[in-house]
Amino acid sequence: MPRFSVIVPVYNRIGEVEDLLKSLAEQSCKDFEVVLVEDGSTERCDQVARKYAEKVDVKYFYKENEGRSIARNYGLERAAGDYFVFFDSDCVIPPDYFATLSRCLDENPLDCFGGPDAAHDSFTDMQKAINFSMTAFLTTGGIRGGRVQLEKFVPRTFNMGYSRKVWETVGGFREMFSEDIDMSTRVRKAGFSIGLVREAYVYHKRRVNLRLFARQIYVFGMSRITLYLLYPESLKIVHWLPAVFVLGTTAMILLSIFWNVWAIAPLVAYLLALFATALASTRSLKIACMGVVAAVVQLGGYGIGFLKAFTWKVLLRHGRNIEEEVEMRRGK
């Protein structure tokens, strides 16, 4: 029986799955299996799975399209490991990941764990810029496992795992946006330990252009309100920061146009600080400039989604009961 079962939901990602399996085939520790769940893809990756079958213990399953959470739960029911590890299909795993994870769990046992993400040298400049915006402390890196934590660490499904006992107690993922935060919250409420394994990082490709990134981050902002309605205590001051950025930026631009041009100075100072941080982090003038743009898209998209959902669902009290809404997402 393997110690770890890697569960990956897939939807039309042949190229990404090949990169993922290639990186898993190069692991120095082989004490894992891979449970690949094709969620109704029109472009199947079964041939890719067979290609790596001699190098990696791969179990391939195909099912109707019902959503990534239901696909993960499907994989959970068919996994044999003591721990379940979740990656997104657009991840590439460093060769010592499982050796590092095994050592860290032996030294500091955890019921539920997660690790950070990074940008690989092979990623495009835009992917590196988006990775900077998602991990920098001046944006939301403190929420996602950065060097300085703004709240309790919450594992995310691009690099997350928990024990079989957790699954037997808490159950699987709910089909909803930000399902990993929901799961982590349920795990914590059940009394299990959760921790960041900083050394066990993955390379995460994320979105390849700003349009897709903006859409994704907008949904993240809206889902924060869904989480608030499920767990009122989960909404922290830090979650309001992107909304404050949107409102503050709008106010400064209007004031600079209709009152005093220097009203925009705080925004300029913040963007310069972002640029300096990005330049120091990426060591590339081009990526640093793109990183500032990606950060503005990230904060703006999240803040707009957050404000829209807060206004509609909290202030105006529209929409169905939140538990019903989560259930309605099943099968989509």
Side-chain angles (χ1 to χ4, degrees):
M1 180 183 297
R3 185 176 190 184
F4 302 104
S5 288
V6 178
I7 300 172
V8 184
V10 181
Y11 182 73
N12 291 338
R13 300 293 182 94
I14 295 177
E16 291 180 354
V17 169
E18 174 135 24
D19 290 343
L20 173 61
L21 290 180
K22 182 177 183 294
S23 69
L24 290 172
E26 297 170 352
Q27 292 294 304
S28 59
C29 171
K30 304 291 186 180
D31 194 11
F32 65 92
E33 64 172 0
V34 180
V35 181
L36 204 60
V37 183
E38 190 101 60
D39 187 38
S41 299
T42 55
E43 300 177 359
R44 301 190 185 188
C45 61
D46 50 334
Q47 291 185 359
V48 177
R50 284 195 293 269
K51 175 180 176 181
Y52 286 92
E54 294 183 1
K55 300 178 180 179
V56 184
D57 180 10
V58 182
K59 296 178 181 177
Y60 173 85
F61 300 95
Y62 182 89
K63 60 180 288 299
E64 293 182 1
N65 177 249
E66 295 180 282
R68 59 183 180 269
S69 290
I70 296 175
R72 291 192 188 100
N73 295 340
Y74 186 96
L76 280 165
E77 293 168 357
R78 290 156 179 80
D82 295 325
Y83 285 94
F84 306 117
V85 178
F86 304 95
F87 297 138
D88 286 346
S89 60
D90 60 351
C91 288
V92 175
I93 315 303
D96 291 329
Y97 178 92
F98 284 102
T100 299
L101 181 60
S102 292
R103 173 178 55 80
C104 291
L105 289 177
D106 288 341
E107 295 172 354
N108 180 33
L110 291 167
D111 300 307
C112 179
F113 53 86
D117 59 337
H120 193 271
D121 289 340
S122 65
F123 288 4
T124 67
D125 288 345
M126 180 55 70
Q127 287 173 325
K128 292 176 181 178
I130 290 175
N131 180 268
F132 164 77
S133 73
M134 291 292 283
T135 58
F137 177 71
L138 288 177
T139 55
T140 61
I143 299 176
R144 301 175 63 84
R147 289 288 174 182
V148 180
Q149 286 296 107
L150 298 180
E151 67 166 354
K152 290 182 179 179
F153 173 66
V154 178
R156 309 296 176 98
T157 45
F158 62 78
N159 184 9
M160 174 185 184
Y162 52 71
S163 68
R164 180 173 289 274
K165 183 178 180 181
V166 168
W167 176 55
E168 292 171 348
T169 303
V170 179
F173 292 87
R174 292 200 278 197
E175 186 59 30
M176 58 181 289
F177 295 123
S178 294
E179 71 280 3
D180 43 11
I181 302 178
D182 170 71
M183 172 59 76
S184 297
T185 302
R186 289 157 52 204
V187 170
R188 197 183 301 277
K189 283 179 170 290
F192 291 105
S193 60
I194 300 178
L196 168 65
V197 183
R198 196 178 300 281
E199 301 94 325
Y201 64 92
V202 302
Y203 298 117
H204 194 192
K205 296 177 184 177
R206 301 190 185 279
R207 292 297 183 260
V208 295
N209 61 57
L210 289 178
R211 180 182 62 82
L212 293 174
F213 180 54
R215 173 59 186 169
Q216 179 189 49
I217 215 71
Y218 171 81
V219 170
F220 286 172
M222 294 190 69
S223 67
R224 174 51 66 180
I225 299 303
T226 301
L227 291 165
Y228 161 70
L229 294 174
L230 286 170
Y231 312 106
E233 74 284 356
S234 69
L235 188 63
K236 309 297 182 184
I237 293 178
V238 67
H239 300 133
W240 283 89
L241 294 182
V244 172
F245 173 82
V246 170
L247 296 174
T249 296
T250 302
M252 283 185 280
I253 291 174
L254 291 175
L255 287 173
S256 69
I257 294 173
F258 297 107
W259 177 57
N260 188 319
V261 69
W262 288 103
I264 205 169
L267 176 61
V268 174
Y270 173 70
L271 295 178
L272 288 173
L274 265 179
F275 173 76
T277 304
L279 188 60
S281 173
T282 65
R283 299 184 180 181
S284 166
L285 182 61
K286 179 182 178 182
I287 297 175
C289 292
M290 295 169 69
V292 172
V293 175
V296 171
V297 170
Q298 178 200 351
L299 293 171
Y302 189 105
I304 292 170
F306 181 98
L307 288 169
K308 179 180 178 181
F310 183 82
T311 301
W312 185 252
K313 294 184 177 182
V314 178
L315 297 182
L316 299 180
R317 299 180 181 275
H318 284 294
R320 59 177 68 89
N321 176 276
I322 193 60
E323 292 284 357
E324 293 177 359
E325 179 175 322
V326 169
E327 289 304 315
M328 285 291 289
R329 294 194 185 279
R330 301 181 69 87
K332 288 189 177 181

